[in-house]
Amino acid sequence: MKEINGFDNEYEFVKYFNGKRIRKLNPNAYDLVKSLFPFENENSIIKCWRNHYKQKSDILIRINNKMKGVSIKMGSRNSVHVEPITEFVHFLIENNVSKESVEEYLKYHYADGTMNGKGRVRMSAVEYKINNQDKIDKLNLELNNEELIKKSILRFVLKGTNSEYPIDALIYGEVDDFLWITSNDLMNIIMSKKDLYSTAVHIGALVVQPQNRCLNYNPKYIKARFCVQVKWYSLFDDIMENLYIKSFKSNNLNF
């Protein structure tokens, strides 16, 4: 069986939701829609389409006069954001990250002894960490303050840099087997990881790294070397953790 790609997966969700009445949804999809549209009549018809703009919302769901945006992820090692390194540096500076920490990130990003990527000898992340882990640890201490994490979540996961509105929920998986998390829970779960130790540069649960270190000097990947990629490696586990926490709180309230 051929594996479905991300774009096809988005269309599968569109086909599933569009034109259905709320009451006709499977239990998981029903819970998602009722979470997003708690006051809509169950006979209301859902309108759903793919967002053709490059924004965080992959699909848009409308019921009557209310519309919600949903991001869809699948697979492992999920990338949630890519931007030029110059824009990322400006973001750090605008949010009062120290000059020392900005420089440390640039050294980590290029790992060639420079802050502009013009060094002759490039190291892998593993090689760079051997002699520089203490500097990465210090950088992470500054990056993981609550105000910066909240702004990072908006920029990297919820809203992006080219949208007026944040997403309302995130789906992980395929139509027949998916998990979901609301934007509020998503914010809370990423924030909860701010004190979690990582050898990589991270902001909460989000890992910040070059899109490609281009260690083999392949011209095809040169552009990617000058881009920052934000990955949410623990996405599945974190959504499961959120479901467990909510279930635990709900069960305790029932006693």
Side-chain angles (χ1 to χ4, degrees):
M1 182 177 178
K2 183 181 178 181
E3 284 190 18
I4 189 172
N5 64 40
F7 292 108
D8 290 340
N9 194 39
E10 292 164 13
Y11 278 116
E12 289 300 316
F13 276 99
V14 168
K15 287 193 294 183
Y16 178 76
F17 282 115
N18 191 45
K20 269 196 181 63
R21 297 186 186 275
I22 295 176
R23 61 183 174 83
K24 291 292 187 178
L25 296 171
N26 67 44
N28 194 25
Y30 176 88
D31 288 343
L32 167 61
V33 169
K34 289 300 288 183
S35 177
L36 297 178
F37 303 90
F39 305 111
E40 295 298 329
N41 187 291
E42 296 205 350
N43 283 314
S44 296
I45 295 175
I46 301 166
K47 298 295 181 183
C48 182
W49 63 97
R50 187 172 177 272
N51 185 1
H52 294 287
Y53 294 99
K54 290 186 177 181
Q55 298 174 336
K56 297 303 181 186
S57 295
D58 295 308
I59 64 171
L60 300 165
I61 299 174
R62 186 174 69 199
I63 300 178
N64 296 321
N65 62 342
K66 295 178 182 177
M67 187 168 72
K68 304 291 182 178
V70 179
S71 175
I72 300 176
K73 300 293 181 185
M74 61 184 297
S76 59
R77 303 168 65 86
N78 281 270
S79 174
V80 294
H81 187 78
V82 175
E83 67 180 34
I85 190 168
T86 51
E87 293 183 11
F88 178 68
V89 167
H90 286 151
F91 170 71
L92 296 181
I93 294 171
E94 288 167 3
N95 287 283
N96 302 313
V97 173
S98 68
K99 179 181 178 182
E100 180 186 6
S101 288
V102 171
E103 290 177 350
E104 284 304 331
Y105 178 76
L106 288 170
K107 292 174 186 176
Y108 168 80
H109 184 96
Y110 292 118
D112 65 0
T114 75
M115 291 185 290
N116 59 15
K118 293 184 178 180
R120 293 185 177 182
V121 180
R122 301 174 185 175
M123 290 181 280
S124 68
V126 173
E127 290 173 312
Y128 184 83
K129 290 174 184 178
I130 291 173
N131 294 315
N132 296 282
Q133 189 61 59
D134 58 331
K135 297 173 184 176
I136 296 172
D137 293 344
K138 186 177 179 181
L139 171 60
N140 280 333
L141 283 175
E142 182 168 358
L143 294 181
N144 282 275
N145 69 79
E146 290 195 6
E147 184 177 353
L148 183 62
I149 296 175
K150 288 177 181 177
K151 290 182 178 179
S152 297
I153 295 170
L154 277 173
R155 184 181 184 89
F156 303 146
V157 185
L158 295 182
K159 190 174 179 181
T161 57
N162 61 346
S163 178
E164 200 173 336
Y165 305 103
I167 63 170
D168 298 285
L170 183 148
I171 286 173
Y172 176 85
E174 301 177 23
V175 170
D176 296 327
D177 183 18
F178 70 89
L179 304 173
W180 59 270
I181 184 170
T182 65
S183 57
N184 286 337
D185 287 343
L186 186 154
M187 175 75 78
N188 291 333
I189 203 75
I190 295 177
M191 289 285 297
S192 72
K193 308 297 181 182
K194 71 183 184 70
D195 296 322
L196 188 69
Y197 182 75
S198 172
T199 61
V201 175
H202 74 100
I203 300 176
L206 307 174
V207 173
V208 184
Q209 62 188 51
Q211 188 178 20
N212 194 304
R213 288 191 177 274
C214 198
L215 298 179
N216 60 2
Y217 297 83
N218 187 333
K220 182 180 177 181
Y221 301 110
I222 286 294
K223 184 178 179 180
R225 188 166 183 261
F226 294 92
C227 289
V228 169
Q229 184 173 47
V230 180
K231 287 202 169 188
W232 191 351
Y233 286 103
S234 57
L235 176 58
F236 174 81
D237 292 337
D238 290 341
I239 295 177
M240 289 297 293
E241 178 184 338
N242 178 70
L243 290 172
Y244 174 78
I245 291 170
K246 293 184 76 171
S247 175
F248 179 79
K249 288 180 178 178
S250 176
N251 288 337
N252 280 349
L253 287 175
N254 291 331
F255 281 107

